[in-house]
Amino acid sequence: MGMDSGMRVGMEANMRVGTGWDLHRLEEGRSLVIGGVSIPSSKGSVAHSDGDVLIHAIIDAMLGAAGMDDIGTLFPDTDPSYCGADSSELLSKVVELVAACGFHVCNLDTTVVIQSPKLGPYKAAIRQRLASLLGVEPSCVGVKAKTAEGILGELGTGSAIMAQAVVLLGT
């Protein structure tokens, strides 16, 4: 059985897959930022930075795919310079680091789990913001929103938010 040209290209290209995951508690009176977009909510993420759980998961996915250390090593919560940091800026730094290793984002798929607020009205803005930060077309970014169906402990009670990300890097 011969190889078609698509298979040869795929074998010659250096492709890397990475996964990322993050979780934050939610508390009254804090800001909620997801994927670089401020979301109106009575609760927001508790974190050293701005608590953008989605961007944190994306950063870990990208760093993992590039064979680099994780977000906690690169941007430690023990470093006061990251207190309240804009996660969009941290992601921009990671895009530069990954590019310096010869990689670019081919596509990204994400899932956010939050009981409330509903993210449907914000998914397009999140997709656009992430695409802009990553330097890709919005069609290369997947953003899914799920609830915890009232179960799964703190996720189900609306006391936490979780995000997962899978990224494909290419040379």
Side-chain angles (χ1 to χ4, degrees), residues 3 5 23 31 37 45 49 52 59 65 78 81 95 101-102 105-107 111 114 122 124 142 149 153 171:
M3 283 200 269
S5 62
L23 176 76
S31 298
V37 175
S45 296
S49 67
D52 190 328
I59 287 173
T78 55
S81 69
V95 168
C101 293
V105 173
C106 296
N107 80 299
T111 304
I114 186 169
Y122 307 100
E149 301 292 333
T171 54

Side-chain angles (χ1 to χ4, degrees), residues 5-160:
S5 62
M7 288 181 71
R8 281 193 298 273
V9 169
M11 291 174 65
E12 292 168 3
N14 189 4
M15 308 294 275
R16 303 262 190 104
V17 174
T19 65
W21 176 91
D22 199 25
L23 176 76
H24 287 286
R25 270 185 311 113
L26 296 173
E27 284 186 0
E28 294 284 336
R30 299 190 63 103
S31 298
L32 182 62
V33 179
I34 302 174
V37 175
S38 293
I39 309 291
S41 177
S42 62
K43 291 182 178 181
S45 296
V46 177
H48 185 68
S49 67
D50 65 2
D52 190 328
V53 68
L54 182 55
I55 286 185
H56 296 174
I58 293 166
I59 287 173
D60 263 345
M62 290 179 65
L63 292 172
M68 302 171 82
D69 281 328
D70 65 12
I71 190 173
T73 303
L74 193 59
F75 306 113
D77 63 6
T78 55
D79 185 335
S81 69
Y82 298 117
C83 183
D86 181 340
S87 294
S88 294
E89 292 177 11
L90 302 181
L91 180 56
S92 293
K93 289 180 185 177
V94 170
V95 168
E96 290 174 9
L97 288 172
V98 167
C101 293
F103 293 105
H104 66 276
V105 173
C106 296
N107 80 299
L108 168 71
D109 191 29
T110 67
T111 304
V112 178
V113 181
I114 186 169
Q115 200 63 30
S116 176
K118 299 288 186 192
L119 297 184
Y122 307 100
K123 288 190 326 184
I126 293 169
R127 176 180 287 112
Q128 183 62 48
R129 177 69 174 141
L130 292 174
S132 175
L133 290 167
L134 297 171
V136 299
E137 293 297 318
S139 63
C140 296
V141 177
V143 177
K144 298 179 295 298
K146 305 289 182 187
T147 69
E149 301 292 333
I151 56 175
L152 296 177
E154 291 188 66
L155 281 171
T157 64
S159 298

